[in-house]
Coordinates of all heavy atoms in Angstrom, one line a residue:
L1 N 61.5 80.3 -38.9 CA 61.3 80.2 -37.4 C 62.5 80.2 -36.5 O 62.7 81.0 -35.5 CB 60.4 79.1 -37.0 CG 59.0 79.0 -37.5 CD1 58.4 77.6 -37.3 CD2 58.2 80.0 -36.6
G2 N 63.6 79.5 -36.9 CA 64.8 79.4 -36.3 C 65.4 80.7 -36.3 O 66.0 81.2 -35.4
A3 N 65.5 81.4 -37.4 CA 66.1 82.7 -37.6 C 65.4 83.8 -36.7 O 66.1 84.7 -36.3 CB 66.2 83.1 -39.1
S4 N 64.2 83.7 -36.6 CA 63.4 84.7 -36.0 C 63.6 84.7 -34.4 O 63.2 85.4 -33.7 CB 61.9 84.8 -36.4 OG 61.3 83.5 -35.9
G5 N 63.8 83.4 -34.0 CA 64.0 83.1 -32.6 C 62.7 82.9 -32.1 O 62.6 83.1 -30.7
E6 N 61.6 82.8 -32.7 CA 60.3 82.7 -32.1 C 60.1 81.5 -31.4 O 59.2 81.3 -30.5 CB 59.2 82.8 -33.2 CG 59.1 84.2 -33.9 CD 58.0 84.2 -34.9 OE1 57.2 83.4 -34.9 OE2 58.3 85.0 -35.9
T7 N 60.7 80.4 -31.8 CA 60.5 79.0 -31.1 C 61.2 78.8 -29.8 O 60.6 78.2 -28.9 CB 60.8 77.9 -32.0 OG1 62.2 77.9 -32.3 CG2 60.1 78.0 -33.4
G8 N 62.4 79.4 -29.7 CA 63.1 79.3 -28.5 C 63.7 77.9 -28.4 O 64.1 77.4 -27.3
V9 N 63.5 77.1 -29.4 CA 64.1 75.6 -29.3 C 65.0 75.6 -30.6 O 64.9 76.2 -31.5 CB 62.8 74.7 -29.6 CG1 63.3 73.1 -29.8 CG2 61.9 74.9 -28.5
G10 N 66.1 74.9 -30.3 CA 67.1 74.5 -31.2 C 66.5 73.6 -32.4 O 66.4 72.4 -32.2
L11 N 65.9 74.2 -33.5 CA 65.3 73.3 -34.5 C 66.3 72.3 -35.2 O 65.7 71.3 -35.6 CB 64.7 74.1 -35.5 CG 63.6 75.1 -35.1 CD1 63.1 76.0 -36.2 CD2 62.4 74.3 -34.6
E12 N 67.5 72.5 -35.1 CA 68.4 71.6 -35.7 C 68.4 70.2 -34.9 O 68.5 69.3 -35.6 CB 69.9 72.1 -35.6 CG 70.3 73.5 -36.0 CD 69.7 74.5 -34.8 OE1 69.8 74.4 -33.8 OE2 69.2 75.6 -35.3
D13 N 68.1 70.2 -33.7 CA 68.0 69.1 -32.9 C 66.6 68.5 -32.7 O 66.5 67.4 -32.5 CB 68.4 69.4 -31.3 CG 69.9 69.9 -31.3 OD1 70.7 69.5 -32.1 OD2 70.2 70.5 -30.2
T14 N 65.6 69.3 -33.0 CA 64.3 68.8 -32.8 C 63.5 68.5 -34.2 O 62.9 67.4 -34.2 CB 63.4 69.8 -32.1 OG1 63.4 71.1 -32.7 CG2 64.0 70.0 -30.6
M15 N 63.7 69.3 -35.1 CA 62.8 69.2 -36.3 C 63.6 68.7 -37.5 O 63.1 67.9 -38.2 CB 62.1 70.5 -36.7 CG 61.0 70.8 -35.7 SD 59.6 69.7 -35.4 CE 58.9 69.6 -37.1
W16 N 64.8 69.1 -37.8 CA 65.6 68.9 -38.9 C 65.7 67.3 -39.0 O 65.6 66.7 -40.0 CB 66.8 69.5 -38.9 CG 66.7 70.9 -39.4 CD1 67.0 72.1 -38.6 CD2 66.2 71.4 -40.6 NE1 66.6 73.2 -39.4 CE2 66.2 72.8 -40.6 CE3 65.8 70.7 -41.8 CZ2 65.8 73.6 -41.7 CZ3 65.2 71.6 -42.8 CH2 65.3 72.9 -42.8
P17 N 66.0 66.5 -37.9 CA 66.2 65.0 -38.0 C 64.9 64.4 -38.7 O 64.9 63.5 -39.3 CB 66.6 64.6 -36.8 CG 67.2 65.9 -36.0 CD 66.5 66.9 -36.6
L18 N 63.8 64.8 -38.0 CA 62.5 64.4 -38.4 C 62.2 64.6 -39.9 O 61.7 63.7 -40.7 CB 61.3 65.0 -37.5 CG 61.5 64.6 -36.1 CD1 60.4 65.4 -35.2 CD2 61.4 63.1 -35.8
I19 N 62.5 65.9 -40.4 CA 62.2 66.2 -41.8 C 63.1 65.4 -42.6 O 62.7 64.8 -43.7 CB 62.5 67.7 -42.0 CG1 61.3 68.5 -41.4 CG2 62.5 68.0 -43.4 CD1 61.5 70.0 -41.3
G20 N 64.4 65.3 -42.2 CA 65.4 64.5 -43.0 C 65.1 63.0 -43.1 O 65.3 62.4 -44.2
E21 N 64.3 62.5 -42.3 CA 63.9 61.1 -42.3 C 62.5 61.0 -43.0 O 62.0 59.9 -43.1 CB 63.9 60.5 -40.9 CG 65.2 60.3 -40.2 CD 66.1 59.4 -41.0 OE1 65.6 58.3 -41.4 OE2 67.2 59.6 -41.1
G22 N 62.0 62.1 -43.5 CA 60.7 62.0 -44.1 C 59.5 61.7 -43.2 O 58.5 61.2 -43.5
L23 N 59.7 62.1 -41.9 CA 58.6 61.7 -40.9 C 57.7 63.0 -40.7 O 56.8 62.9 -39.9 CB 59.3 61.3 -39.5 CG 60.1 60.2 -39.6 CD1 60.9 59.9 -38.3 CD2 59.3 58.9 -39.9
V24 N 58.0 64.1 -41.2 CA 57.1 65.3 -41.2 C 56.2 65.4 -42.4 O 56.8 65.5 -43.5 CB 58.0 66.5 -40.9 CG1 57.1 67.8 -40.8 CG2 58.7 66.4 -39.6
D25 N 55.0 65.7 -42.1 CA 54.0 65.8 -43.4 C 53.5 67.2 -43.1 O 52.6 67.3 -42.2 CB 53.1 64.7 -43.4 CG 52.1 64.7 -44.7 OD1 52.7 65.4 -45.6 OD2 51.2 64.1 -44.7
L26 N 53.9 68.2 -43.8 CA 53.3 69.5 -43.7 C 52.0 69.6 -44.4 O 51.7 69.0 -45.4 CB 54.2 70.6 -44.4 CG 55.7 70.5 -43.7 CD1 56.5 71.5 -44.4 CD2 55.5 71.1 -42.3
V27 N 50.9 70.1 -43.6 CA 49.6 70.2 -44.1 C 49.1 71.7 -44.0 O 49.6 72.3 -43.3 CB 48.6 69.2 -43.5 CG1 49.0 67.8 -43.6 CG2 48.6 69.5 -42.0
A28 N 48.0 71.9 -44.6 CA 47.3 73.3 -44.5 C 46.8 73.3 -43.2 O 46.4 72.3 -42.5 CB 46.3 73.4 -45.6
T29 N 46.5 74.5 -42.8 CA 46.0 74.9 -41.4 C 44.5 74.5 -41.3 O 43.9 74.5 -40.1 CB 46.2 76.3 -40.9 OG1 45.6 77.1 -42.0 CG2 47.6 76.5 -40.8
D30 N 44.0 74.1 -42.5 CA 42.4 73.7 -42.3 C 42.3 72.2 -42.9 O 41.3 71.7 -43.3 CB 41.6 74.5 -43.3 CG 42.1 74.5 -44.8 OD1 43.1 73.8 -45.0 OD2 41.3 75.0 -45.6
H31 N 43.4 71.5 -42.5 CA 43.5 70.1 -43.0 C 42.5 69.1 -42.3 O 42.3 69.2 -41.0 CB 45.0 69.5 -42.7 CG 45.3 68.2 -43.1 ND1 45.3 67.7 -44.4 CD2 45.4 67.0 -42.4 CE1 45.5 66.6 -44.4 NE2 45.6 66.0 -43.3
Q32 N 41.9 68.2 -43.1 CA 41.0 67.2 -42.6 C 41.9 66.0 -42.3 O 42.3 65.4 -43.3 CB 40.0 66.9 -43.6 CG 38.9 65.8 -43.1 CD 37.8 66.4 -42.3 OE1 37.5 67.6 -42.3 NE2 37.3 65.6 -41.4
V33 N 42.2 65.6 -41.1 CA 43.0 64.5 -40.8 C 42.4 63.2 -41.2 O 42.9 62.4 -41.7 CB 43.3 64.5 -39.2 CG1 44.2 63.4 -39.0 CG2 44.1 65.8 -38.9
C34 N 41.0 63.0 -40.7 CA 40.2 61.9 -41.1 C 38.8 62.2 -40.6 O 38.5 63.4 -40.3 CB 40.7 60.6 -40.2 SG 40.6 60.7 -38.5
D35 N 37.9 61.3 -40.9 CA 36.4 61.6 -40.6 C 36.4 62.1 -39.2 O 36.9 61.2 -38.2 CB 35.6 60.5 -40.9 CG 35.4 60.2 -42.4 OD1 35.5 61.1 -43.2 OD2 34.8 59.2 -42.7
G36 N 35.9 63.1 -38.8 CA 35.7 63.6 -37.5 C 36.9 64.3 -36.8 O 36.8 64.7 -35.6
V37 N 37.9 64.5 -37.5 CA 39.2 65.2 -36.9 C 39.7 66.1 -38.0 O 40.1 65.7 -39.1 CB 40.3 64.1 -36.6 CG1 41.5 64.8 -36.0 CG2 39.7 63.1 -35.5
R38 N 39.7 67.4 -37.6 CA 40.2 68.3 -38.5 C 41.0 69.4 -37.8 O 40.9 69.5 -36.6 CB 39.2 69.0 -39.4 CG 38.1 69.8 -38.4 CD 37.0 70.3 -39.2 NE 36.0 70.8 -38.4 CZ 36.0 72.1 -37.8 NH1 37.0 72.9 -38.0 NH2 35.0 72.3 -37.0
L39 N 41.9 70.2 -38.6 CA 42.6 71.3 -37.9 C 41.8 72.6 -38.3 O 41.2 72.7 -39.3 CB 44.0 71.4 -38.6 CG 44.9 70.2 -38.4 CD1 46.3 70.3 -39.1 CD2 45.0 69.7 -37.0
E40 N 42.0 73.5 -37.4 CA 41.3 74.7 -37.6 C 42.4 76.0 -37.3 O 43.1 75.9 -36.3 CB 40.2 74.9 -36.5 CG 39.3 76.3 -36.6 CD 38.3 76.2 -35.7 OE1 37.2 75.5 -36.0 OE2 38.4 76.6 -34.5
A41 N 42.6 76.7 -38.3 CA 43.6 77.8 -38.2 C 43.4 78.5 -37.0 O 42.4 79.0 -36.6 CB 43.5 78.7 -39.4
A42 N 44.5 78.9 -36.2 CA 44.5 79.7 -35.0 C 45.7 80.7 -35.0 O 46.7 80.6 -34.1 CB 44.5 78.8 -33.8

């Protein structure tokens, strides 16, 4: 994403620190978060 320039945001400042601390949990685009809450691919 950063290489493609699609985000327009410096990922080094926004996402890498969160990933480095283990605070990002990557999930599938059809992930069931909990009963009654789910993601839908778009």
Side-chain angles (χ1 to χ4, degrees):
L1 284 172
S4 70
E6 290 179 27
T7 63
V9 175
L11 296 176
E12 313 77 38
D13 295 340
T14 57
M15 292 303 295
W16 284 116
L18 299 172
I19 289 173
E21 292 296 320
L23 299 173
V24 174
D25 193 12
L26 299 173
V27 297
T29 56
D30 63 349
H31 181 70
Q32 180 83 30
V33 177
C34 61
D35 287 344
V37 180
R38 63 183 169 82
L39 303 179
E40 183 174 278

